[in-house]
């Protein structure tokens, strides 16, 4: 099939390469000429394991190309995916729909033959119905341009795997006028569906809600365990053991019960806020007020780590040297959007600490958003002469650290394990003051 993907960020670029891998001919479209130029050379402008290989393979095979020209994509493809961002509006909870709207305003007037538009971006419920109406108004081909909503559940760091082997596919269609959308989507994902991947077809609103509900649930699960961590901290409990114990209950499950610095990134934080904002518009804000608490618990973890650091260094951060290991919002990603690690580093810096940050992949992005912070070129440089080491992102390089790796480098043997990812007894045995989150309160 001939496919276009609008937006070439973490989602769009991966989806475009994934569609080529499934055997389709694909064009990726973006308004950023620099990105398009790099992608056309087979270069991924961000860190995503496995994606560079996939991209190069299909750019070389000729099945995948990139353009800034929407008219080219409209003339070429019969199926158009929308994979542009829906960031948080500055100073508000709502999602910024500018980019999604712009794709429709640009693409729809170019549709002169039957086409299927499939939304992948995370949007407030009701968006798809509004866009379907707009497409109808704008497309020369009229009702033969059809819209479906096909939310994306990929995780950064596992984006290729999640695209090619999703645990389910969801499609929302206009039930009053379903047309050929389901048929087209079954053809697009034929290889995946042949493996008996669950395929759930819903109306447009449900498909939109599936996506935000999934992210709201994941955020709630993380904040639940972080709330319990707060209780553990004042009562002497150990949240990691507790999570193991409750996680064996299949109804609960151990995944996403990792207590620590909490969730960040370009999705979970802004999605729960946009969900609350939309519920407010719909007059059911009370239904989602608990998400405000989910957000607060999450942000409190960051403050808590700063307070822990202050205590560990003797009451004042001013003039202390602190190594922050990690800047990305999670390992296997260079994404620093709403990163707990970078937030903590910034707060420590503001409190007068001399902060040295090191991250295996996210240094350039971190420098771009927080240019006033100090970055070390490697782990050793970050920890040298440190009064305190904070592990803020659980990269393997940090998880695998053993205390002797830092011997003779640090000024004081103190570590805050912001992701509960170190072998605590080993650090304690080596004479370190070890502090986890929600554990070893004493
Ligand atoms: C999330 C969802 O997991 C994806 O399914 C979804 O498609 C994506 O958002 C999206 O909407 O695009 P992602 O943001 O890549 O994916 O990251 P996650 O793996 O969900 O992690 C989110 C944050 O939660 C990270 O900061 C991570 O460190 C934190 N986390 C995760 C915890 O603090 N504890 C855990 O146990 C798990």
């Amino acid at each position: 099939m001939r496919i276009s993907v609008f937006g070439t960020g973490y989602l769009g670029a991966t989806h475009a390469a994934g569609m080529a891998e499934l055997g389709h001919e694909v064009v990726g479209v973006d308004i950023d000429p620099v990105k398009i130029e790099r992608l056309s050379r087979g270069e991924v402008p961000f860190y995503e394991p496995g994606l560079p290989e996939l991209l190069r393979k299909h750019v070389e095979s000729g099945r995948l190309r990139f353009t800034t020209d929407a008219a080219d994509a409209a003339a070429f493809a019969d199926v158009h995916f929308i994979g542009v961002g829906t960031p948080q509006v500055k100073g508000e909870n709502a999602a910024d729909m500018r980019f999604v709207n712009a794709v429709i305003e640009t693409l729809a007037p170019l549709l002169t033959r039957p086409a299927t538009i499939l939304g992948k971006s995370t949007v407030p419920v009701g968006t798809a119905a509004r866009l379907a109406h707009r497409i109808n108004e704008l497309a020369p081909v009229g009702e033969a341009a059809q819209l479906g909503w096909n939310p994306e559940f990929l995780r950064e760091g596992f984006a290729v795997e999640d695209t090619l082997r999703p645990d389910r596919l969801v499609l929302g269609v206009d039930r009053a006028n379903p047309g050929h959308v389901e048929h087209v989507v079954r053809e697009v994902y034929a290889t995946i569906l042949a493996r008996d991947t669950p395929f759930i077809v819903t109306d447009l609103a449900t498909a939109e809600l599936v996506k935000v509900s999934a992210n709201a649930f994941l955020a709630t699960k993380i904040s639940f365990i972080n709330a319990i961590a707060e209780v553990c901290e004042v009562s002497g409990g150990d949240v990691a053991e507790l999570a193991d114990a409750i996680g064996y209950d299949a109804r609960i499950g151990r995944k996403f019960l990792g207590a620590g610095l909490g969730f960040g990134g370009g999705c979970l934080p802004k999605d729960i806020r946009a969900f609350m904002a939309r519920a407010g518009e719909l007059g059911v804000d009370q239904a989602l007020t608990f998400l405000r608490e989910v957000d607060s618990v999450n942000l409190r973890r960051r403050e808590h780590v700063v307070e822990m650091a202050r205590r560990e260094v003797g009451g004042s951060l001013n003039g202390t040297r602190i190594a922050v290991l990690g800047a990305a919002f999670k390992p296997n990603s260079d994404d620093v959007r709403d990163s707990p690690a970078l937030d903590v580093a910034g707060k420590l810096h503001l409190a007068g600490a001399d902060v040295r940050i090191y991250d295996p992949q996210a240094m350039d992005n971190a420098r771009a958003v927080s240019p006033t912070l100090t970055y070390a070129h490697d782990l050793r440089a970050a920890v040298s002469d440190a009064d305190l080491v904070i592990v803020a992102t659980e990269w393997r390089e940090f998880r695998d650290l053993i205390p002797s790796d830092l011997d003779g480098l640090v000024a004081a043997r103190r570590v805050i394990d912001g992701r509960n990812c170190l072998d605590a007894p080993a650090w304690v045995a080596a004479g370190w003051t070890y502090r986890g989150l929600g554990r070893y309160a004493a």
Side-chain angles (χ1 to χ4, degrees):
M1 298 174 87
R2 289 180 152 204
I3 290 177
S4 84
V5 181
F6 282 77
T8 59
Y10 291 93
L11 160 60
T14 311
H15 191 68
M19 293 303 98
E21 178 70 6
L22 293 184
H24 304 301
E25 285 181 54
V26 185
V27 60
V29 191
D30 204 292
I31 52 173
D32 180 347
V34 179
K35 236 189 220 172
I36 289 300
E37 209 248 315
R38 290 187 65 182
L39 287 161
S40 300
R41 284 200 309 256
E43 232 179 88
V44 180
F46 50 87
Y47 178 75
E48 183 60 49
L51 186 55
E53 295 79 356
L54 199 66
L55 184 87
R56 264 198 305 277
K57 177 177 163 192
H58 292 298
V59 167
E60 277 166 20
S61 76
R63 246 180 5 228
L64 176 58
R65 65 188 178 87
F66 293 91
T67 182
T68 52
D69 183 4
D72 170 0
F76 171 80
D78 305 300
V79 178
H80 305 280
F81 282 100
I82 308 173
V84 292
T86 51
Q88 191 175 340
V89 177
K90 256 203 163 67
E92 284 178 39
N93 273 349
D96 187 344
M97 298 306 296
R98 235 178 324 162
F99 306 110
V100 171
N101 294 342
V103 171
I104 296 300
E105 296 297 315
T106 309
L107 175 63
L110 298 168
L111 298 175
T112 51
R113 61 171 201 278
T116 305
I117 303 175
L118 295 169
K120 283 204 124 0
S121 308
T122 303
V123 295
V125 60
T127 301
R130 173 173 66 76
L131 297 180
H133 185 70
R134 192 70 187 131
I135 291 165
N136 234 314
E137 283 176 350
L138 294 174
V141 71
E143 290 208 343
Q146 295 195 316
L147 178 76
W149 215 260
N150 171 220
E152 179 57 57
F153 304 100
L154 66 78
R155 300 158 295 169
E156 287 175 26
F158 300 91
V160 171
E161 178 67 13
D162 287 349
T163 301
L164 297 176
R165 296 180 191 285
D167 44 25
R168 81 291 210 187
L169 289 169
V170 175
L171 172 67
V173 297
D174 178 357
R175 283 262 155 88
N177 181 21
H180 301 299
V181 176
E182 181 179 342
H183 176 77
V184 169
V185 169
R186 283 188 182 275
E187 212 176 317
V188 169
Y189 295 122
T191 318
I192 294 172
L193 293 171
R195 286 194 303 262
D196 286 335
T197 306
F199 183 44
I200 300 112
V201 182
T202 69
D203 53 48
L204 291 170
T206 306
E208 293 168 314
L209 285 169
V210 165
K211 171 61 201 249
V212 281
S213 307
N215 275 2
F217 189 84
L218 294 172
T220 303
K221 207 171 173 190
I222 298 168
S223 276
F224 171 82
I225 202 65
N226 281 332
I228 301 298
E230 290 188 22
V231 180
C232 284
E233 273 152 18
V234 294
S235 58
D238 184 307
V239 76
E241 288 172 7
L242 181 150
D244 288 342
I246 64 172
Y248 281 115
D249 185 331
R251 294 169 303 173
I252 296 174
R254 181 64 173 84
K255 287 180 185 160
F256 273 66
L257 286 182
L261 256 175
F263 59 82
C267 302
L268 264 44
K270 65 105 177 153
D271 285 353
I272 59 168
R273 292 169 195 154
F275 201 9
M276 284 187 273
R278 186 66 184 132
E281 287 169 5
L282 293 168
V284 287
D285 43 334
Q286 276 190 340
L288 298 186
T289 38
F290 75 95
L291 288 179
R292 221 162 45 207
E293 210 44 55
V294 167
D295 204 3
S296 307
V297 169
N298 192 54
L299 296 177
R300 226 161 37 226
R301 289 285 81 187
R302 305 176 184 186
E303 301 287 347
H304 180 71
V305 166
V306 174
E307 281 320 304
M308 275 173 101
R310 196 190 307 278
R311 222 169 32 232
E312 291 310 315
V313 296
S316 170
L317 289 161
N318 206 11
T320 57
R321 182 174 282 200
I322 300 184
V324 173
L325 302 184
F329 83 106
K330 68 172 190 179
N332 302 315
S333 171
D334 64 354
D335 196 346
V336 299
R337 286 177 293 173
D338 205 343
S339 165
L342 211 50
D343 194 7
V344 164
K347 287 180 161 72
L348 293 167
H349 170 76
L350 281 179
D354 171 7
V355 181
R356 304 283 157 99
I357 303 168
Y358 169 69
D359 188 284
Q361 291 294 339
M363 301 287 265
D364 290 344
N365 286 344
R367 242 186 232 111
V369 302
S370 302
T372 54
L373 299 176
T374 306
Y375 299 89
H377 59 270
D378 62 12
L379 192 148
R380 290 174 67 87
V383 301
S384 85
D385 291 326
D387 300 301
L388 171 66
V389 175
I390 300 179
V391 178
T393 311
E394 69 277 32
W395 283 97
R396 174 153 289 282
E397 182 178 349
F398 308 149
R399 284 202 314 262
D400 287 350
L401 277 176
I402 52 171
S404 60
D405 292 339
L406 307 187
D407 266 357
L409 291 173
V410 293
R413 292 176 177 182
R414 299 190 192 105
V415 63
I416 293 179
D417 182 1
R419 293 291 179 180
N420 290 339
C421 63
L422 300 177
D423 178 3
W427 289 79
V428 174
W432 283 66
T433 305
Y434 171 94
R435 300 281 180 246
L437 265 62
R439 53 200 314 225
Y440 302 104

